[in-house]
Amino acid sequence: MPDFENEIRTFIVDNFLMGRGDALRRDDSFLEKGIFDSTGILELVSFIENKYSIELEPDELVPENLDSIALLARFLEHKLLLRNPVSELIGSPSSGRSSL
Amino acid sequence: MPMNASASRRQDLLKIDAASETERIVAGIREVVVSRFHRKGAVVGVSGGIDSAVVAFLCARALGPERVLVLFTPEADSSPESLRLGKLVAEKLGAPSQLENITPLLQAAGCYERRDAAIRRLVPEYTARHKCKIVLPNLLSSDRYPIFHLVVQAPDGNTKHVRLTAETYLGILAATNLKQRTRKLIEYYYGDLKHYVVAGTPNRLEYDQGFFVKYGDGAADLKPIAHLYKSQVYQLAAFLEVPQEIQSRVPTTDTYSLEQSQEEFYFSLSLEKMDLCLYGKNQGMPAAEIAPMVGLPERQVERVYALIDGKRNAARYLHSSPVLMEPIDLPLVQD
């Protein structure tokens, strides 16, 4: 299973915080912190879809899935588990990691 | 609350005394144009819609119709109906008018090519014969993010809805914003030529929510109806006897080749309902109080309130003047 939290954090910090993400906590709300606007959400969605080769459904584009590093990581874990059996994710070459 | 009482209260909320409001605005226009800016008249870009028509009528009342230049700036994607209705404004006022087709300027700037190239990133089969618009999905029934979709219509009439990527969204936006900025370029050309001010035409909803292009239709020397809700603009239009066809026209943005209703921009709400929600929010009215008047469940009004806040945050950039690194004191010299 990929290290979702770390990968999301890196993307957020590099793309929206100009590399200055020391204060960003895993439970911080992107909306409340004003980390990005509606264009930023499009960027985040594109990043997720390209990075993990998944397609997000319209009903999934809600803050309860995407509004913090922790929420997003948990959402992706469920989403990818539904798509792939756990055995395929462990040590999967596409993930490049074996963190489970 | 019974429905008829709600309807009655709904009408009362945004009711204005059109005659006295007209006089107040007219006095303000005179003060700005003559005393503050020392200009000789006003340029008004008239689109065929209600807002620009009302501004033209107000300027004519304030300055005299001969000192108002009614400017038409159609381009390739404009509806011919817009120009026809715009001309009605100049005719009814007896004001001079000027037609400037901005299509060649936009072509020279690559507006259409750049827009089409951006669209082809998502819809490779898109050609100049296709039509397009961008819309928001219905946001009221869930907490879904306000993410724009592209609607493309093929020459055979088949339509395709695609969720926009950031790259394509920004590509389309940057290209189509050339339209509003080119219009403003021409408006200021005539402003300079005739030593006139340029009057902006946003209503309160557009001004508050940032439904304008920075340095495009957002640029102006004065904005006479920016404090008025859309339904109040209609009340002024009736008082000023704006041509009936313009008063009854369904509002459109007239920016994309496929007709895009303004409701497709305003959270899937009609302008009347959006007006009421914005008014309720501005007056600090709880969602439960305004909900029966809007005809929406309380939960959906709360959702609209949250979307209004989101748009306001995004609009801060649009409203911002260039930021200086330190304040510069420019004392006014009385002349």
Side-chain angles (χ1 to χ4, degrees):
Chain A
M1 181 76 78
D3 183 354
F4 292 122
E5 288 209 11
N6 197 34
E7 290 173 357
I8 295 161
R9 168 180 286 280
T10 300
F11 174 76
I12 298 286
V13 170
D14 287 351
N15 281 276
F16 302 115
L17 301 174
M18 302 277 183
R20 305 178 125 186
D22 294 347
L24 180 64
R25 292 172 303 183
R26 63 187 295 278
D27 291 319
D28 282 343
S29 160
F30 299 145
L31 286 174
E32 286 173 16
K33 291 279 179 182
I35 290 181
F36 47 69
D37 57 13
S38 55
T39 308
I41 291 167
L42 290 178
E43 288 182 57
L44 179 65
V45 170
S46 292
F47 164 75
I48 293 165
E49 292 188 328
N50 294 332
K51 175 89 177 169
Y52 303 111
S53 302
I54 56 174
E55 191 168 325
L56 299 185
E57 300 299 325
D59 290 344
E60 293 174 326
L61 300 173
V62 292
E64 65 189 76
N65 289 338
L66 310 180
D67 193 37
S68 72
I69 292 172
L71 287 173
L72 190 43
R74 193 172 62 196
F75 166 71
L76 286 171
E77 280 168 18
H78 287 144
K79 177 105 179 161
L80 268 70
L81 274 173
L82 282 176
R83 191 186 67 177
N84 300 320
V86 175
S87 57
E88 283 183 23
L89 287 170
I90 296 175
S92 152
S94 64
S95 74
R97 294 172 186 272
S98 54
S99 55
L100 270 182
Chain B
M1 186 181 290
M3 200 49 213
N4 56 353
S6 293
S8 163
R9 182 143 184 244
R10 181 172 66 215
Q11 290 203 325
D12 289 346
L13 279 182
L14 293 166
K15 179 88 179 150
I16 54 171
D17 178 341
S20 64
E21 183 59 24
T22 294
E23 288 315 306
R24 195 169 76 92
I25 295 172
V26 160
I29 292 172
R30 282 196 201 111
E31 198 278 324
V32 169
V33 175
V34 180
S35 305
R36 189 181 306 187
F37 292 145
H38 306 293
R39 299 278 159 155
K40 295 177 178 172
V43 176
V44 185
V46 167
S47 67
I50 191 88
D51 298 319
S52 59
V54 166
V55 169
F57 272 69
L58 288 167
C59 286
R61 193 173 272 237
L63 307 168
E66 70 282 5
R67 293 190 189 84
V68 176
L69 178 66
V70 175
L71 190 59
F72 312 118
T73 50
E75 49 89 22
D77 292 327
S78 301
S79 159
E81 187 69 355
S82 299
L83 179 58
R84 187 184 72 78
L85 292 171
K87 284 180 174 174
L88 287 182
V89 172
E91 283 166 19
K92 176 112 189 224
L93 287 175
S97 64
Q98 189 72 40
L99 172 62
E100 291 271 356
N101 185 335
I102 61 170
T103 304
L105 283 171
L106 292 170
Q107 284 170 331
C111 169
Y112 306 108
E113 279 179 32
R114 292 174 202 268
R115 178 201 60 196
D116 294 353
I119 292 172
R120 276 194 286 274
R121 288 190 204 117
L122 271 186
V123 185
E125 69 272 22
Y126 188 85
T127 67
R129 294 179 58 230
H130 284 67
K131 293 182 174 180
C132 72
K133 64 178 172 180
I134 59 174
V135 299
L136 278 173
N138 188 327
L139 299 171
L140 300 183
S141 53
S142 76
D143 286 337
R144 215 184 284 177
Y145 288 110
I147 291 179
F148 279 107
H149 286 61
L150 174 67
V151 181
V152 167
Q153 187 182 64
D156 65 7
N158 281 331
T159 59
K160 192 172 184 177
H161 285 64
V162 195
R163 193 180 74 221
L164 282 167
T165 61
E167 187 185 30
T168 300
Y169 172 67
L170 293 175
I172 295 171
L173 192 73
T176 53
N177 283 357
L178 286 168
K179 297 182 180 184
Q180 285 85 352
R181 294 205 175 99
T182 301
R183 287 201 169 97
K184 199 54 67 172
L185 194 76
I186 299 298
E187 287 174 26
Y188 270 98
Y189 165 76
Y190 281 103
D192 290 345
L193 184 71
K194 299 180 78 65
H195 206 53
Y196 282 7
V197 297
V198 170
T201 64
N203 58 58
R204 185 169 193 146
L205 196 53
E206 293 169 334
Y207 186 82
D208 182 305
Q209 293 289 280
F211 292 123
F212 59 85
V213 175
K214 188 167 186 171
Y215 301 127
D217 51 336
D221 298 316
L222 76 165
K223 298 182 178 179
I225 59 168
H227 61 293
L228 295 178
Y229 294 90
K230 187 82 178 184
S231 44
Q232 294 173 334
V233 175
Y234 279 100
Q235 292 172 52
L236 240 54
F239 173 76
L240 292 165
E241 298 181 356
V242 167
Q244 195 59 45
E245 270 192 277
I246 295 174
Q247 291 189 50
S248 53
R249 187 190 192 193
V250 176
T252 166
T253 58
D254 211 18
T255 300
Y256 292 92
S257 50
L258 266 182
E259 193 162 309
Q260 177 195 43
S261 73
Q262 293 197 356
E263 290 168 16
E264 287 171 320
F265 253 16
Y266 299 128
F267 321 139
S268 315
L269 275 185
S270 69
L271 289 169
E272 186 191 16
K273 290 182 176 181
M274 192 61 213
D275 247 7
L276 284 166
C277 288
L278 185 61
Y279 177 86
K281 183 164 176 58
N282 285 341
Q283 298 300 313
M285 294 168 72
E289 189 179 346
I290 201 86
M293 286 179 269
V294 185
L296 288 176
E298 180 184 345
R299 175 76 190 91
Q300 290 194 359
V301 174
E302 284 170 355
R303 173 78 175 134
V304 175
Y305 278 11
L307 288 165
I308 287 172
D309 279 336
K311 277 286 182 190
R312 276 184 180 159
N313 288 338
R316 274 192 308 183
Y317 162 76
L318 300 176
H319 284 293
S320 171
S321 300
V323 179
L324 307 181
M325 292 300 103
E326 61 177 76
I328 299 175
D329 189 24
L330 293 173
L332 277 177
V333 179
Q334 292 298 324
D335 53 8

